[in-house]
């Protein structure tokens, strides 16, 4: 069971100390909270430092696989830009990873390792995820949560989409051609409870979506699926002081997380 109430608790804790960037108080508070939550599930948390600053930190935990050196990674970034509490961007994604870890921790031994990655530096050129992908096997693949907490009566879209949805009640599944199979698995796992909008990006429009932690995976030839509520195409509070907990639809986020748990289970084997 994925609990909207537990998602709410996670988001509340993550936004409680303000923006999570630089040397602000929100950084150590968020890192401590994530570590405590994963440790409380019986998972060993590994600190991946990629720089000398306090905020240059990834937190990683895993359920070890039985027969493969490769992993399925579930990813979210914990950092924010300055000036925002970052409830949707991206406390919602971190909360989803924490709840997925709770749901998956008692899974019978999977063939592939399931790894939970909370990255820093997404808002600073994907620095955390870029450092991380240097350490993983070539066939490791990922699902990236980038804002999973907003719904809306209206929905906009990039101009290259010919017939986009006009109601923001779906989760977008963004893939490059090599990762299209991940979108298929997720869409199947989400049906019929969660509307999805799978989109395999055409090369000429790729720049529109090169904005989150899936990018280092794609750049190194790995499969990665961006799972997003579409950021500013739906959320008018994107990167603003008004990106607050009270504006989230956590029942929707719970459905996204539940679909992801089913997807990861199928991918891990």
């Amino acid at each position: 069971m994925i609990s909207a109430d537990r998602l709410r608790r996670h988001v509340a804790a993550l936004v409680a100390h303000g923006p999570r960037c630089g040397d602000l108080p929100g950084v150590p508070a968020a890192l401590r909270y994530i570590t405590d939550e994963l440790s409380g599930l019986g998972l060993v948390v590994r600190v991946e430092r990629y720089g000398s600053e306090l905020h240059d930190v990834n937190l990683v935990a895993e359920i070890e696989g039985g027969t493969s050196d490769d992993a399925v990674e579930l990813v979210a970034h914990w950092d924010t830009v300055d000036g925002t509490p970052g409830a949707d961007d991206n406390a919602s994604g971190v909360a989803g990873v924490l709840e997925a870890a709770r749901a998956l921790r008692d899974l019978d031994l999977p063939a592939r390792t399931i790894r939970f990655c909370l990255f820093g530096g997404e808002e600073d050129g994907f620095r955390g995820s870029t450092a991380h992908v240097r350490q993983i096997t070539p066939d490791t693949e990922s699902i990236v949560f980038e804002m999973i907490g907003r719904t809306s009566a209206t929905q906009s879209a990039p101009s290259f989409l010919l017939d986009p949805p006009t109601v923001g009640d779906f989760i977008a599944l963004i893939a490059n051609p090599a990762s299209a199979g991940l979108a298929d698995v997720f869409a199947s796992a989400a049906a019929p409870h969660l509307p999805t909008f799978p989109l395999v990006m055409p090369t000429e429009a790729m720049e529109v979506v090169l904005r989150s932690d899936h990018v280092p995976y794609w750049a190194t030839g790995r499969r990665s699926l961006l799972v997003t509520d579409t950021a500013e195409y739906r959320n008018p509070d994107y990167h603003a002081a008004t990106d607050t907990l009270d504006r989230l639809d956590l029942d929707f986020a719970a459905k996204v997380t539940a679909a992801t748990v089913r997807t990861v289970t199928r991918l891990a084997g």
Side-chain angles (χ1 to χ4, degrees):
M1 289 288 291
I2 301 299
S3 165
D5 288 338
R6 280 197 298 266
L7 290 172
R8 182 172 290 104
R9 176 173 65 82
H10 294 323
V11 174
L14 290 164
V15 304
H17 300 278
R20 300 179 294 281
C21 57
D23 59 358
L24 294 176
V27 171
L31 295 174
R32 184 168 54 249
Y33 182 81
I34 294 166
T35 299
D36 288 348
E37 287 297 308
L38 291 172
S39 298
L41 298 175
L43 300 174
V44 176
V45 180
R46 182 173 75 251
V47 176
E48 291 181 352
R49 296 207 61 88
Y50 55 88
S52 59
E53 300 296 329
L54 170 67
H55 56 269
D56 292 337
V57 170
N58 300 328
L59 298 176
V60 179
E62 63 184 37
I63 300 168
E64 188 174 354
T67 61
S68 174
D69 293 331
D70 301 316
V72 179
E73 297 188 333
L74 180 56
V75 170
H77 71 91
W78 58 261
D79 64 317
T80 70
V81 297
D82 198 7
T84 177
D88 195 24
D89 186 18
N90 189 31
S92 67
V94 174
V97 172
L98 295 177
E99 274 302 282
R102 178 183 296 276
L104 289 163
R105 62 179 171 163
D106 294 326
L107 190 69
D108 289 341
L109 185 66
R112 304 169 74 189
T113 292
I114 300 171
R115 189 174 295 134
F116 308 102
C117 303
L118 292 311
F119 291 145
E122 189 271 352
E123 302 286 5
D124 188 25
F126 330 125
R127 292 184 63 224
S129 52
T130 297
H132 175 78
V133 299
R134 298 191 188 112
Q135 308 174 41
I136 60 177
T137 60
D139 289 330
T140 288
E141 53 197 8
S142 64
I143 296 172
V144 177
F145 280 166
E146 176 60 69
M147 306 176 64
I148 63 167
R150 287 291 289 256
T151 54
S152 176
T154 60
Q155 175 76 48
S156 62
S159 58
F160 67 85
L161 291 179
L162 297 179
D163 188 22
T166 57
V167 177
D169 62 351
F170 61 89
I171 196 73
L173 309 175
I174 310 299
N176 65 353
S179 307
L182 296 180
D184 292 339
V185 175
F186 194 108
S188 175
H193 308 289
L194 174 69
T196 60
F197 184 67
L199 181 62
V200 179
M201 293 301 298
T203 301
E204 62 272 16
M206 192 68 74
E207 188 174 344
V208 174
V209 297
L210 296 181
R211 296 169 48 189
S212 192
D213 286 316
H214 60 293
V215 173
Y217 292 89
W218 287 3
T220 55
R222 294 174 170 88
R223 299 205 309 166
S224 184
L225 180 68
L226 177 64
V227 177
T228 177
D229 63 20
T230 74
E232 73 270 28
Y233 293 104
R234 179 180 304 176
N235 183 350
D237 306 299
Y238 175 67
H239 280 186
T242 48
D243 182 12
T244 52
L245 172 60
D246 60 295
R247 299 178 184 237
L248 301 188
D249 182 344
L250 292 170
D251 289 324
F252 173 77
K255 291 179 182 179
V256 174
T257 305
T260 304
V261 167
R262 292 190 291 271
T263 302
V264 170
T265 301
R266 295 178 189 183
L267 293 173

